[in-house]
Amino acid sequence: MWKQLTTAISHLNIPADWVGIRAVKTTSTHHSVRDALPQSNGKSLEMGAMIEVIVDGCLGYAATNSLNISSLQKAAEIAYKQALAASKWWIYPISENTRPQVVGEYNSPFLEPFNAISPGEINNLLIRICQQLKINDKIIQTTATVGTDQKETWFVSSNGSEVYQNILSLSHHFGAIAQEGAIVQQRSNNGAHANSYQGGWELFKQDNLWHQVQKVGEQALELLTAAECPNTRTNLVLAPDQMMLQIHESIGHPLEIDRILGDERNYAGGSFVTKDDFGKLEYGSPLMNITFDPTVAGEFASYGFDDTGAVATKEYVIKKGILQRGLGSLESQARADLPGVACARACSWNRPPIDRMANLNLEPGNATFEEIISGIEHGIYMESNRSWSIDDQRYKFQFGCEYAKLIENGKLTKTLRNPNYRATTPEFWHSLIQVGNDTNWQIYGTPFCGKGEPNQAISVGHGSPVCAFTNVEVFGGG
């Protein structure tokens, strides 16, 4: 592949100021079982290349699924004509400085390769999970799914960039739905597709797998007889699997610089954050430290370089509650005159890279889980996202969880069903009163973060400890 691409980049005959080729090969598998019956088994292979050019301060793109010289030349010509035509109306002139030369390699860590288990063995494992989830006839539905991706990317440019990345990722999910009369409750392993990581089959076949399966089935039944979550203002403690969504929706999306500039307003919405807020806005309490960090080993959106070749580094986005930098690529940083991160990412070979969050993490504090709970006289502890709603400025939100416990006099007591909470983003993060430590810090992820026109669903990762918030509006209801 390297010889093919380096030969192509040196032979492309267009008068562009800069040219880049990003070739991508993705091999995916998906296996799904419902009620111990296989529903789908599939494997797919996608391969192609995106040509990107800079002409008179404007970017142009064209993709091709053929990597021979003539096809790449035709795509380059299309990209050139597109950029040349658009250069009369550019919003901000893009220069070669936004595509610096870079050479390097990134490989996901893994122990057990994806070809180590046959499709039959995978199905048998998922069937067994469904069977164990059904611990009672009140369990009316069980599901188990697992998917894998191997994504290889080669990036070369006319100014000498050569980057190779090999990313192996796995996502798995299982859950149960229980019913008694008119009451229907669901429980899963950490919410929908939250168990998404980089690595091999060792991520699925963990020592505690069967304990987790048993626990999910038991808690689905437990919720049928649980009390309804009360309507009140109280202390709220969120588990890391719910903090994942909280970080994603109320920090990740509003800090994307292209949103702040208005690029996404037509489809994904805007942001309550403005350009003038950086370096000044008190986003939350002084306990709030948020980092953009694609360097975390095994987290779902780790990489060495973004899709324009920018080197990935750990950066504080919010430090001690103060907004520091946005989630913006080199070109967005230039346009907005704001500090950003290496976050230009594309979901596939036939999409251009745009500003995307990757691993966005809440750094650990100093409290154990027991210390957080024991310090609360009255409150509610919630786990595993069930539903979410947030406005197009990422300001007002309402989230629901699968499972909750009442906190009374420093102890977890009664189970609660249908727990929800609502707030505005600044109000909520200013109410942060305690942050867990390394012992309860966990990473999760999702492969389904959508954005862009045409839409791009991309992988993101979020790490967080258990966190406590004060004076939060909570309420019941399915």
Side-chain angles (χ1 to χ4, degrees):
M1 179 66 76
W2 277 123
K3 184 178 180 181
Q4 192 173 358
L5 294 178
T6 54
T7 300
I9 202 75
S10 64
H11 284 78
L12 291 180
N13 185 23
I14 54 169
D17 302 315
W18 177 91
V19 182
I21 304 176
R22 175 174 49 87
V24 184
K25 177 183 178 182
T26 305
T27 304
S28 304
T29 69
H30 178 75
H31 308 269
S32 175
V33 170
R34 185 175 65 204
D35 298 328
L37 298 173
Q39 300 296 301
S40 65
N41 287 281
K43 184 175 183 179
S44 64
L45 172 65
E46 286 191 356
M47 189 169 183
M50 174 66 75
I51 309 291
E52 182 183 49
V53 303
I54 298 176
V55 179
D56 293 344
C58 197
L59 288 165
Y61 303 94
T64 174
N65 61 2
S66 175
L67 300 183
N68 60 52
I69 294 292
S70 62
S71 296
L72 293 170
Q73 174 66 33
K74 288 178 182 177
E77 290 170 0
I78 293 171
Y80 174 79
K81 291 176 182 178
Q82 178 192 95
L84 187 63
S87 63
K88 299 176 183 178
W89 298 281
W90 50 250
I91 298 172
Y92 182 89
I94 300 299
S95 72
E96 194 176 317
N97 293 332
T98 63
R99 299 294 185 269
Q101 180 191 28
V102 63
V103 176
E105 184 172 322
Y106 171 85
N107 292 278
S108 293
F110 72 94
L111 296 177
E112 193 168 0
F114 292 147
N115 61 6
I117 304 179
S118 70
E121 291 173 306
I122 298 168
N123 269 345
N124 289 338
L125 188 59
L126 297 177
I127 289 169
R128 183 183 167 192
I129 289 172
C130 284
Q131 290 170 338
Q132 187 161 325
L133 284 169
K134 192 171 176 61
I135 60 174
N136 186 292
D137 286 343
K138 293 178 183 178
I139 302 289
I140 61 170
Q141 186 180 95
T142 61
T143 56
T145 64
V146 65
T148 68
D149 281 287
Q150 180 177 8
K151 183 177 181 180
E152 292 183 273
T153 303
W154 298 262
F155 175 71
V156 298
S157 69
S158 56
N159 61 342
S161 289
E162 290 188 10
V163 173
Y164 172 74
Q165 302 196 87
N166 182 27
I167 296 175
L168 279 71
S169 57
L170 183 146
S171 299
H172 65 87
H173 170 81
F174 53 82
I177 297 176
Q179 180 176 8
E180 185 169 35
I183 298 174
V184 179
Q185 291 291 302
Q186 70 179 48
R187 192 69 176 109
S188 68
N189 63 325
N190 308 114
H193 305 286
N195 287 276
S196 297
Y197 308 97
Q198 284 187 22
W201 279 114
E202 72 278 359
L203 297 171
F204 192 30
K205 302 190 308 179
Q206 298 182 22
D207 293 339
N208 66 343
L209 173 61
W210 301 110
H211 170 75
Q212 291 298 320
V213 172
Q214 186 73 16
K215 182 179 177 181
V216 166
E218 290 173 352
Q219 289 186 344
L221 287 180
E222 181 186 350
L223 287 167
L224 293 177
T225 56
E228 189 82 3
C229 179
N231 301 334
T232 184
R233 276 192 172 270
T234 189
N235 297 300
L236 173 65
V237 179
L238 296 180
D241 59 3
Q242 175 60 23
M243 286 298 299
M244 176 187 79
L245 182 89
Q246 187 68 56
I247 292 167
H248 183 92
E249 299 292 353
S250 66
I251 300 175
H253 282 308
L255 295 189
E256 292 164 340
I257 292 180
D258 58 354
R259 275 179 181 268
I260 295 169
L261 292 172
D263 294 358
E264 286 289 320
R265 197 173 297 149
N266 185 55
Y267 176 59
S271 174
F272 73 92
V273 176
T274 70
K275 287 172 56 177
D276 294 335
D277 288 332
F278 288 89
K280 296 179 288 186
L281 177 65
E282 293 183 9
Y283 208 98
S285 87
L287 298 176
M288 183 184 185
N289 293 289
I290 301 291
T291 57
F292 171 90
D293 193 3
T295 71
V296 178
E299 196 165 358
F300 199 42
S302 291
Y303 49 85
F305 312 85
D306 76 7
D307 285 331
T308 63
V311 178
T313 57
K314 178 178 180 178
E315 303 290 348
Y316 275 85
V317 175
I318 297 171
K319 194 168 189 177
K320 295 182 179 179
I322 306 299
L323 179 60
Q324 303 292 316
R325 64 177 61 224
L327 302 180
S329 62
L330 291 176
E331 61 196 65
S332 289
Q333 293 172 46
R335 283 175 59 193
D337 192 25
L338 290 172
V341 294
C343 69
R345 305 173 63 208
C347 69
S348 180
W349 60 270
N350 58 3
R351 295 289 188 272
I354 57 176
D355 291 353
R356 304 303 300 261
M357 69 183 93
N359 294 336
L360 196 64
N361 302 330
L362 177 61
E363 294 296 300
N366 55 20
T368 67
F369 179 72
E370 292 75 16
E371 287 169 342
I372 291 174
I373 299 300
S374 65
I376 295 175
E377 184 176 347
H378 186 276
I380 296 175
Y381 167 70
M382 298 186 189
E383 293 181 353
S384 308
N385 184 257
R386 181 189 59 180
S387 63
W388 65 93
S389 176
I390 190 165
D391 68 23
D392 63 0
Q393 295 299 299
R394 302 285 151 168
Y395 187 74
K396 296 179 181 179
F397 66 82
Q398 174 177 306
F399 298 148
C401 295
E402 292 181 354
Y403 186 84
K405 285 280 192 179
L406 191 64
I407 305 172
E408 298 176 295
N409 301 315
K411 294 182 179 179
L412 297 173
T413 58
K414 294 186 293 186
T415 300
L416 303 173
R417 69 169 178 248
N418 302 327
N420 306 272
Y421 64 99
R422 63 166 67 101
T424 66
T425 295
E427 170 196 11
F428 184 78
W429 286 107
H430 277 278
S431 74
L432 177 64
I433 55 172
Q434 208 154 19
V435 178
N437 62 16
D438 289 331
T439 64
N440 52 76
W441 192 86
Q442 298 174 16
I443 57 175
Y444 294 97
T446 177
F448 299 124
C449 176
K451 182 182 170 183
E453 294 181 281
N455 183 63
Q456 298 194 44
I458 209 163
S459 60
V460 295
H462 301 296
S464 175
V466 175
C467 290
F469 303 83
T470 190
N471 195 33
V472 178
E473 183 182 358
V474 302
F475 59 100

